[in-house]
Amino acid sequence: MYKAIIFDVYGTLFDMSSLKKDMVQFDDAQATSISKLWRKTQLNHMFLKQIMQRYIPFDELTKEALRYTMESHEIQYNREDVNQLFDSFLDLEYFEEVPQVVSLLNSKEIDVGILSNGNDNMLMPLIDNSELGDYINTVISVNEIKQYKPSPASYALILKYYHLKREDILFVSSNSWDVTGASNFGFDTVWVNRHNELFDFNGQTPTITVNNLNEIVNWLEIK
Amino acid sequence: MYKAIIFDVYGTLFDMSSLKKDMVQFDDAQATSISKLWRKTQLNHMFLKQIMQRYIPFDELTKEALRYTMESHEIQYNREDVNQLFDSFLDLEYFEEVPQVVSLLNSKEIDVGILSNGNDNMLMPLIDNSELGDYINTVISVNEIKQYKPSPASYALILKYYHLKREDILFVSSNSWDVTGASNFGFDTVWVNRHNELFDFNGQTPTITVNNLNEIVNWLEIK
């Protein structure tokens, strides 16, 4: 049995499609388009900044990605608009099974942690707003080392917090690039494939693929 | 005046939309869809492998990206199909103004070079097939250091080949991430914006933006 299960945050515990719920100033199609390009740009900038060795905190990066997204949609905006839209990142909705799964893992004395590219300015309000804080024991942000996932150094942070062997850790993400990065580092991994997609093989495969977090509990035979 | 002008290859000198011209087994819509996802996956894998420190030569990476693309399209394929489609990368069409522009630069004693993520197995046949070899003096592949663009180390390769100061080099690319990387390294840069898109600001801006390579010649006031 694994001694700690570490979850990714954005897209894995929290539903990125809920980004658009506060975009009341836009119609639904536009809100969907904005939230998708925003997330895509956020990831793209993150990867490129990591390669260029130009780390900036994730809240700044997320606002930068939003400005590009607004300009791409030819929407006028000011600083206040950016801040208001950014706040959606602090109040995302979790997938419905999350509280039950993480509380069950906790009750079985499996440590539940998160490893995120978000910095504390983003993670702490999100966890507080979601009331998941009671079940998440360890919050790890890559901001500590200023290197984003999927760099090996980012996953190594988990070993700094947990004095465990790599094989005692299970890493869970819905982002294929994150699964690839964690597998590449040497962790067992779960790919959460909620939309029945094809795993983007990039040199690594997940240990197991599930459709939702409940299936992890079944696979681990936790009762 | 710059002493050397270094061009990116894929998308800058050669038209990625010509990837589909040999895809005679697919209808036009499918060929377009395949060529777009193929290129997108190629870039995505490249960035992630760079971050994970898992460099592989670009021909292997390009075939891996093609396999994912075929599976995403639910197309059966074998090794021979992959090799046949891969060959399109060795016979891309250059943008129409390329020969005239590079020969003019050459005649003005401005050294014309290329810096590409492609390895020699890809670059050499492409240049031979295009008959541009007479105008390209210096072919630099990141394979030499096993780090893809936009890493700083990849652009530093240019300085290894040319014993020039950074300000004597002009770097030209249609890929915004490549312009960002070269600007980040300290080169003056040209963004070739053929489709009237918005520059994806990621901490850097190009020195100049043009719609095609002829405009570079005009800007430099070469007659």
Side-chain angles (χ1 to χ4, degrees):
Chain A
M1 180 59 70
Y2 299 102
K3 293 179 180 159
I5 301 187
I6 313 298
F7 292 89
D8 169 53
V9 172
Y10 301 113
T12 302
L13 296 180
F14 293 90
D15 186 351
M16 299 311 290
S17 75
S18 69
L19 251 190
K20 68 176 186 179
K21 76 178 158 51
D22 297 323
M23 294 185 185
V24 290
Q25 63 274 56
F26 308 118
D27 66 32
D28 188 63
Q30 197 168 35
T32 300
S33 173
I34 290 168
S35 56
K36 282 188 177 172
L37 182 62
W38 188 7
R39 172 65 170 163
K40 184 181 159 191
T41 305
Q42 182 193 48
L43 292 175
N44 194 35
H45 283 203
M46 188 178 83
F47 296 149
L48 292 170
K49 284 179 195 291
Q50 176 66 25
I51 295 171
M52 295 189 296
Q53 303 169 14
R54 290 289 179 190
Y55 178 91
I56 63 173
F58 207 56
D59 53 351
E60 290 176 33
L61 183 150
T62 300
K63 288 179 186 179
E64 183 185 81
L66 177 58
R67 289 191 289 269
Y68 171 74
T69 301
M70 297 294 270
E71 286 168 30
S72 285
H73 284 82
E74 299 183 346
I75 296 168
Q76 298 275 336
Y77 65 92
N78 58 32
R79 180 187 290 244
E80 199 177 330
D81 299 326
V82 168
N83 288 336
Q84 180 253 316
L85 285 163
F86 172 79
D87 283 348
S88 306
F89 255 98
L90 313 180
D91 196 23
L92 297 165
E93 290 171 4
Y94 51 71
F95 291 102
E96 62 173 352
E97 79 275 19
V98 169
Q100 192 188 330
V101 169
V102 293
S103 66
L104 181 63
L105 293 173
N106 246 295
S107 72
K108 302 297 175 183
E109 298 190 350
I110 297 172
D111 195 284
V112 174
I114 59 176
L115 173 69
S116 176
N117 281 324
N119 53 344
D120 285 354
N121 290 349
M122 294 182 74
L123 294 176
M124 294 314 178
L126 179 63
I127 292 169
D128 284 349
N129 288 334
S130 69
E131 300 181 345
L132 290 177
D134 288 350
Y135 310 119
I136 297 171
N137 304 317
T138 310
V139 175
I140 310 175
S141 165
V142 303
N143 194 52
E144 189 172 327
I145 53 160
K146 304 196 187 315
Q147 285 203 51
Y148 303 112
K149 294 190 282 181
S151 65
S154 66
Y155 301 102
L157 262 180
I158 295 174
L159 299 182
K160 186 191 151 190
Y161 277 80
Y162 292 91
H163 298 284
L164 295 173
K165 295 177 189 162
R166 287 184 201 203
E167 55 264 38
D168 291 330
I169 308 272
L170 182 66
F171 186 84
V172 181
S173 182
S174 65
N175 296 295
S176 62
W177 55 267
D178 196 13
V179 169
T180 304
S183 296
N184 177 55
F185 183 73
F187 290 138
D188 280 2
T189 52
V190 178
W191 182 41
V192 187
N193 180 18
R194 293 183 185 272
H195 305 293
N196 207 21
E197 291 172 346
L198 181 67
F199 188 75
D200 184 6
F201 178 80
N202 191 358
Q204 299 287 340
T205 47
T207 309
I208 183 179
T209 297
V210 298
N211 292 119
N212 57 59
L213 303 187
N214 285 319
E215 291 179 17
I216 300 173
V217 173
N218 296 339
W219 176 62
L220 294 172
E221 296 184 351
I222 294 170
K223 277 151 195 146
Chain B
M1 181 59 71
Y2 300 101
K3 293 180 180 159
I5 300 187
I6 312 299
F7 291 88
D8 169 54
V9 172
Y10 301 113
T12 302
L13 296 181
F14 292 90
D15 186 351
M16 299 312 290
S17 75
S18 69
L19 251 190
K20 68 175 187 180
K21 74 179 158 49
D22 297 324
M23 294 186 186
V24 290
Q25 64 272 58
F26 308 118
D27 66 32
D28 188 63
Q30 197 168 36
T32 300
S33 173
I34 290 169
S35 57
K36 281 189 178 174
L37 182 62
W38 188 7
R39 173 63 171 162
K40 184 181 159 190
T41 306
Q42 182 193 48
L43 292 175
N44 194 35
H45 282 202
M46 187 179 83
F47 296 149
L48 292 170
K49 285 180 195 292
Q50 175 66 25
I51 296 172
M52 295 191 294
Q53 302 167 13
R54 292 288 180 192
Y55 178 91
I56 63 173
F58 207 55
D59 52 351
E60 291 177 31
L61 184 150
T62 299
K63 288 178 185 178
E64 183 184 81
L66 177 58
R67 288 191 290 269
Y68 171 75
T69 300
M70 297 294 270
E71 287 169 29
S72 285
H73 284 81
E74 298 183 345
I75 296 168
Q76 298 274 336
Y77 65 93
N78 57 31
R79 181 187 290 244
E80 199 177 329
D81 299 327
V82 168
N83 288 337
Q84 180 253 316
L85 285 164
F86 172 79
D87 283 347
S88 305
F89 255 97
L90 312 181
D91 196 23
L92 297 166
E93 289 170 5
Y94 51 71
F95 291 102
E96 62 175 350
E97 78 274 20
V98 169
Q100 190 189 331
V101 169
V102 292
S103 67
L104 180 62
L105 293 174
N106 246 296
S107 73
K108 301 298 176 181
E109 298 191 350
I110 297 171
D111 195 284
V112 174
I114 60 175
L115 173 69
S116 176
N117 281 324
N119 52 344
D120 285 354
N121 291 347
M122 294 182 73
L123 294 177
M124 293 314 178
L126 179 63
I127 292 169
D128 284 349
N129 288 333
S130 70
E131 301 180 346
L132 290 177
D134 287 348
Y135 311 119
I136 297 171
N137 305 318
T138 311
V139 175
I140 310 174
S141 164
V142 302
N143 193 52
E144 189 173 327
I145 53 159
K146 303 195 186 316
Q147 285 203 52
Y148 303 111
K149 292 190 282 182
S151 66
S154 66
Y155 300 102
L157 261 179
I158 295 173
L159 298 183
K160 186 192 151 189
Y161 277 79
Y162 292 90
H163 298 284
L164 295 172
K165 295 178 190 161
R166 288 186 200 202
E167 55 266 35
D168 291 330
I169 308 272
L170 182 66
F171 186 85
V172 181
S173 182
S174 64
N175 296 294
S176 62
W177 55 267
D178 195 13
V179 170
T180 304
S183 296
N184 177 56
F185 183 73
F187 289 138
D188 279 2
T189 52
V190 177
W191 182 41
V192 186
N193 180 19
R194 292 183 186 272
H195 305 294
N196 207 21
E197 290 172 347
L198 182 66
F199 188 76
D200 184 6
F201 177 80
N202 192 359
Q204 299 286 341
T205 47
T207 310
I208 183 178
T209 298
V210 298
N211 292 120
N212 56 60
L213 303 187
N214 285 320
E215 292 179 17
I216 300 173
V217 174
N218 295 339
W219 176 62
L220 293 173
E221 296 184 351
I222 295 171
K223 278 157 198 144

PDB file of all heavy atoms in Angstrom, chain B residues 8-27:
ATOM      1  N   ASP B   8      15.001  30.463 -38.478  1.00  0.00           N
ATOM      2  CA  ASP B   8      14.363  29.204 -38.110  1.00  0.00           C
ATOM      3  C   ASP B   8      13.942  28.499 -39.404  1.00  0.00           C
ATOM      4  O   ASP B   8      13.822  29.141 -40.463  1.00  0.00           O
ATOM      5  CB  ASP B   8      13.141  29.516 -37.245  1.00  0.00           C
ATOM      6  CG  ASP B   8      12.271  28.308 -37.041  1.00  0.00           C
ATOM      7  OD1 ASP B   8      12.792  27.268 -36.597  1.00  0.00           O
ATOM      8  OD2 ASP B   8      11.054  28.390 -37.331  1.00  0.00           O
ATOM      9  N   VAL B   9      13.681  27.212 -39.330  1.00  0.00           N
ATOM     10  CA  VAL B   9      13.380  26.429 -40.536  1.00  0.00           C
ATOM     11  C   VAL B   9      11.879  26.150 -40.699  1.00  0.00           C
ATOM     12  O   VAL B   9      11.243  26.626 -41.651  1.00  0.00           O
ATOM     13  CB  VAL B   9      14.180  25.103 -40.515  1.00  0.00           C
ATOM     14  CG1 VAL B   9      13.743  24.185 -41.663  1.00  0.00           C
ATOM     15  CG2 VAL B   9      15.671  25.412 -40.621  1.00  0.00           C
ATOM     16  N   TYR B  10      11.322  25.386 -39.750  1.00  0.00           N
ATOM     17  CA  TYR B  10       9.941  24.893 -39.913  1.00  0.00           C
ATOM     18  C   TYR B  10       8.934  26.009 -39.632  1.00  0.00           C
ATOM     19  O   TYR B  10       8.837  26.505 -38.514  1.00  0.00           O
ATOM     20  CB  TYR B  10       9.687  23.699 -38.997  1.00  0.00           C
ATOM     21  CG  TYR B  10      10.638  22.546 -39.265  1.00  0.00           C
ATOM     22  CD1 TYR B  10      11.588  22.160 -38.318  1.00  0.00           C
ATOM     23  CD2 TYR B  10      10.614  21.874 -40.478  1.00  0.00           C
ATOM     24  CE1 TYR B  10      12.479  21.123 -38.572  1.00  0.00           C
ATOM     25  CE2 TYR B  10      11.500  20.845 -40.749  1.00  0.00           C
ATOM     26  CZ  TYR B  10      12.423  20.463 -39.786  1.00  0.00           C
ATOM     27  OH  TYR B  10      13.307  19.452 -40.045  1.00  0.00           O
ATOM     28  N   GLY B  11       8.211  26.393 -40.654  1.00  0.00           N
ATOM     29  CA  GLY B  11       7.226  27.458 -40.515  1.00  0.00           C
ATOM     30  C   GLY B  11       7.777  28.819 -40.913  1.00  0.00           C
ATOM     31  O   GLY B  11       7.013  29.745 -41.153  1.00  0.00           O
ATOM     32  N   THR B  12       9.098  28.938 -40.957  1.00  0.00           N
ATOM     33  CA  THR B  12       9.722  30.230 -41.266  1.00  0.00           C
ATOM     34  C   THR B  12      10.223  30.245 -42.716  1.00  0.00           C
ATOM     35  O   THR B  12       9.816  31.086 -43.514  1.00  0.00           O
ATOM     36  CB  THR B  12      10.856  30.534 -40.276  1.00  0.00           C
ATOM     37  OG1 THR B  12      10.311  30.519 -38.953  1.00  0.00           O
ATOM     38  CG2 THR B  12      11.492  31.882 -40.560  1.00  0.00           C
ATOM     39  N   LEU B  13      11.103  29.298 -43.058  1.00  0.00           N
ATOM     40  CA  LEU B  13      11.515  29.161 -44.458  1.00  0.00           C
ATOM     41  C   LEU B  13      10.581  28.217 -45.210  1.00  0.00           C
ATOM     42  O   LEU B  13      10.314  28.410 -46.395  1.00  0.00           O
ATOM     43  CB  LEU B  13      12.955  28.620 -44.536  1.00  0.00           C
ATOM     44  CG  LEU B  13      14.064  29.509 -43.966  1.00  0.00           C
ATOM     45  CD1 LEU B  13      15.420  28.824 -44.143  1.00  0.00           C
ATOM     46  CD2 LEU B  13      14.081  30.887 -44.623  1.00  0.00           C
ATOM     47  N   PHE B  14      10.093  27.210 -44.489  1.00  0.00           N
ATOM     48  CA  PHE B  14       9.273  26.168 -45.132  1.00  0.00           C
ATOM     49  C   PHE B  14       7.853  26.202 -44.579  1.00  0.00           C
ATOM     50  O   PHE B  14       7.635  26.394 -43.372  1.00  0.00           O
ATOM     51  CB  PHE B  14       9.907  24.791 -44.915  1.00  0.00           C
ATOM     52  CG  PHE B  14      11.213  24.628 -45.641  1.00  0.00           C
ATOM     53  CD1 PHE B  14      12.415  24.977 -45.029  1.00  0.00           C
ATOM     54  CD2 PHE B  14      11.235  24.169 -46.949  1.00  0.00           C
ATOM     55  CE1 PHE B  14      13.622  24.857 -45.708  1.00  0.00           C
ATOM     56  CE2 PHE B  14      12.436  24.044 -47.636  1.00  0.00           C
ATOM     57  CZ  PHE B  14      13.630  24.389 -47.014  1.00  0.00           C
ATOM     58  N   ASP B  15       6.926  25.976 -45.469  1.00  0.00           N
ATOM     59  CA  ASP B  15       5.498  26.104 -45.177  1.00  0.00           C
ATOM     60  C   ASP B  15       4.973  24.787 -44.576  1.00  0.00           C
ATOM     61  O   ASP B  15       4.925  23.767 -45.271  1.00  0.00           O
ATOM     62  CB  ASP B  15       4.776  26.423 -46.492  1.00  0.00           C
ATOM     63  CG  ASP B  15       3.301  26.722 -46.286  1.00  0.00           C
ATOM     64  OD1 ASP B  15       2.796  26.527 -45.172  1.00  0.00           O
ATOM     65  OD2 ASP B  15       2.670  27.139 -47.280  1.00  0.00           O
ATOM     66  N   MET B  16       4.592  24.824 -43.298  1.00  0.00           N
ATOM     67  CA  MET B  16       4.118  23.596 -42.646  1.00  0.00           C
ATOM     68  C   MET B  16       2.823  23.098 -43.269  1.00  0.00           C
ATOM     69  O   MET B  16       2.504  21.911 -43.140  1.00  0.00           O
ATOM     70  CB  MET B  16       3.931  23.819 -41.142  1.00  0.00           C
ATOM     71  CG  MET B  16       5.194  24.215 -40.395  1.00  0.00           C
ATOM     72  SD  MET B  16       6.622  23.166 -40.777  1.00  0.00           S
ATOM     73  CE  MET B  16       6.114  21.641 -39.996  1.00  0.00           C
ATOM     74  N   SER B  17       2.077  23.967 -43.919  1.00  0.00           N
ATOM     75  CA  SER B  17       0.827  23.501 -44.530  1.00  0.00           C
ATOM     76  C   SER B  17       1.116  22.595 -45.733  1.00  0.00           C
ATOM     77  O   SER B  17       0.246  21.849 -46.177  1.00  0.00           O
ATOM     78  CB  SER B  17      -0.072  24.671 -44.914  1.00  0.00           C
ATOM     79  OG  SER B  17       0.418  25.315 -46.055  1.00  0.00           O
ATOM     80  N   SER B  18       2.363  22.619 -46.225  1.00  0.00           N
ATOM     81  CA  SER B  18       2.711  21.724 -47.333  1.00  0.00           C
ATOM     82  C   SER B  18       2.966  20.299 -46.845  1.00  0.00           C
ATOM     83  O   SER B  18       3.168  19.388 -47.663  1.00  0.00           O
ATOM     84  CB  SER B  18       3.941  22.254 -48.091  1.00  0.00           C
ATOM     85  OG  SER B  18       5.123  22.179 -47.324  1.00  0.00           O
ATOM     86  N   LEU B  19       2.929  20.108 -45.529  1.00  0.00           N
ATOM     87  CA  LEU B  19       3.054  18.757 -44.959  1.00  0.00           C
ATOM     88  C   LEU B  19       2.036  17.812 -45.574  1.00  0.00           C
ATOM     89  O   LEU B  19       2.288  16.629 -45.748  1.00  0.00           O
ATOM     90  CB  LEU B  19       2.772  18.797 -43.453  1.00  0.00           C
ATOM     91  CG  LEU B  19       3.895  18.594 -42.448  1.00  0.00           C
ATOM     92  CD1 LEU B  19       3.302  18.436 -41.072  1.00  0.00           C
ATOM     93  CD2 LEU B  19       4.797  17.437 -42.809  1.00  0.00           C
ATOM     94  N   LYS B  20       0.869  18.355 -45.856  1.00  0.00           N
ATOM     95  CA  LYS B  20      -0.231  17.483 -46.273  1.00  0.00           C
ATOM     96  C   LYS B  20      -0.227  17.148 -47.764  1.00  0.00           C
ATOM     97  O   LYS B  20      -1.029  16.335 -48.218  1.00  0.00           O
ATOM     98  CB  LYS B  20      -1.576  18.106 -45.879  1.00  0.00           C
ATOM     99  CG  LYS B  20      -1.936  19.370 -46.632  1.00  0.00           C
ATOM    100  CD  LYS B  20      -3.336  19.835 -46.260  1.00  0.00           C
ATOM    101  CE  LYS B  20      -3.755  21.003 -47.144  1.00  0.00           C
ATOM    102  NZ  LYS B  20      -5.091  21.507 -46.834  1.00  0.00           N
ATOM    103  N   LYS B  21       0.696  17.734 -48.521  1.00  0.00           N
ATOM    104  CA  LYS B  21       0.605  17.564 -49.982  1.00  0.00           C
ATOM    105  C   LYS B  21       0.827  16.117 -50.429  1.00  0.00           C
ATOM    106  O   LYS B  21       0.328  15.712 -51.472  1.00  0.00           O
ATOM    107  CB  LYS B  21       1.552  18.526 -50.708  1.00  0.00           C
ATOM    108  CG  LYS B  21       3.021  18.173 -50.654  1.00  0.00           C
ATOM    109  CD  LYS B  21       3.848  19.200 -51.435  1.00  0.00           C
ATOM    110  CE  LYS B  21       5.290  19.240 -51.018  1.00  0.00           C
ATOM    111  NZ  LYS B  21       6.038  17.980 -50.923  1.00  0.00           N
ATOM    112  N   ASP B  22       1.574  15.346 -49.609  1.00  0.00           N
ATOM    113  CA  ASP B  22       1.803  13.942 -49.986  1.00  0.00           C
ATOM    114  C   ASP B  22       0.805  12.984 -49.339  1.00  0.00           C
ATOM    115  O   ASP B  22       0.915  11.775 -49.509  1.00  0.00           O
ATOM    116  CB  ASP B  22       3.230  13.519 -49.591  1.00  0.00           C
ATOM    117  CG  ASP B  22       4.276  14.329 -50.341  1.00  0.00           C
ATOM    118  OD1 ASP B  22       4.042  14.651 -51.521  1.00  0.00           O
ATOM    119  OD2 ASP B  22       5.327  14.638 -49.740  1.00  0.00           O
ATOM    120  N   MET B  23      -0.155  13.528 -48.592  1.00  0.00           N
ATOM    121  CA  MET B  23      -1.110  12.665 -47.898  1.00  0.00           C
ATOM    122  C   MET B  23      -2.262  12.293 -48.839  1.00  0.00           C
ATOM    123  O   MET B  23      -3.432  12.596 -48.591  1.00  0.00           O
ATOM    124  CB  MET B  23      -1.653  13.372 -46.650  1.00  0.00           C
ATOM    125  CG  MET B  23      -0.597  13.618 -45.584  1.00  0.00           C
ATOM    126  SD  MET B  23      -1.321  14.305 -44.062  1.00  0.00           S
ATOM    127  CE  MET B  23       0.169  14.628 -43.102  1.00  0.00           C
ATOM    128  N   VAL B  24      -1.908  11.641 -49.927  1.00  0.00           N
ATOM    129  CA  VAL B  24      -2.892  11.361 -50.977  1.00  0.00           C
ATOM    130  C   VAL B  24      -3.930  10.318 -50.553  1.00  0.00           C
ATOM    131  O   VAL B  24      -4.993  10.205 -51.160  1.00  0.00           O
ATOM    132  CB  VAL B  24      -2.190  10.892 -52.273  1.00  0.00           C
ATOM    133  CG1 VAL B  24      -1.434  12.062 -52.898  1.00  0.00           C
ATOM    134  CG2 VAL B  24      -1.240   9.726 -51.981  1.00  0.00           C
ATOM    135  N   GLN B  25      -3.608   9.560 -49.499  1.00  0.00           N
ATOM    136  CA  GLN B  25      -4.556   8.533 -49.045  1.00  0.00           C
ATOM    137  C   GLN B  25      -5.696   9.098 -48.206  1.00  0.00           C
ATOM    138  O   GLN B  25      -6.635   8.378 -47.880  1.00  0.00           O
ATOM    139  CB  GLN B  25      -3.820   7.418 -48.270  1.00  0.00           C
ATOM    140  CG  GLN B  25      -3.138   7.836 -46.965  1.00  0.00           C
ATOM    141  CD  GLN B  25      -1.706   8.348 -47.136  1.00  0.00           C
ATOM    142  OE1 GLN B  25      -1.495   9.315 -47.881  1.00  0.00           O
ATOM    143  NE2 GLN B  25      -0.764   7.756 -46.447  1.00  0.00           N
ATOM    144  N   PHE B  26      -5.613  10.401 -47.850  1.00  0.00           N
ATOM    145  CA  PHE B  26      -6.662  11.021 -47.030  1.00  0.00           C
ATOM    146  C   PHE B  26      -7.365  12.124 -47.825  1.00  0.00           C
ATOM    147  O   PHE B  26      -6.764  12.721 -48.721  1.00  0.00           O
ATOM    148  CB  PHE B  26      -6.066  11.640 -45.755  1.00  0.00           C
ATOM    149  CG  PHE B  26      -5.213  10.675 -44.974  1.00  0.00           C
ATOM    150  CD1 PHE B  26      -3.859  10.932 -44.782  1.00  0.00           C
ATOM    151  CD2 PHE B  26      -5.759   9.524 -44.422  1.00  0.00           C
ATOM    152  CE1 PHE B  26      -3.058  10.040 -44.063  1.00  0.00           C
ATOM    153  CE2 PHE B  26      -4.969   8.627 -43.710  1.00  0.00           C
ATOM    154  CZ  PHE B  26      -3.616   8.890 -43.525  1.00  0.00           C
ATOM    155  N   ASP B  27      -8.616  12.401 -47.463  1.00  0.00           N
ATOM    156  CA  ASP B  27      -9.269  13.534 -48.115  1.00  0.00           C
ATOM    157  C   ASP B  27      -8.702  14.835 -47.523  1.00  0.00           C
ATOM    158  O   ASP B  27      -7.987  14.813 -46.526  1.00  0.00           O
ATOM    159  CB  ASP B  27     -10.803  13.457 -48.013  1.00  0.00           C
ATOM    160  CG  ASP B  27     -11.323  13.583 -46.591  1.00  0.00           C
ATOM    161  OD1 ASP B  27     -10.702  14.281 -45.760  1.00  0.00           O
ATOM    162  OD2 ASP B  27     -12.366  12.968 -46.306  1.00  0.00           O
TER     163      ASP B  27
END
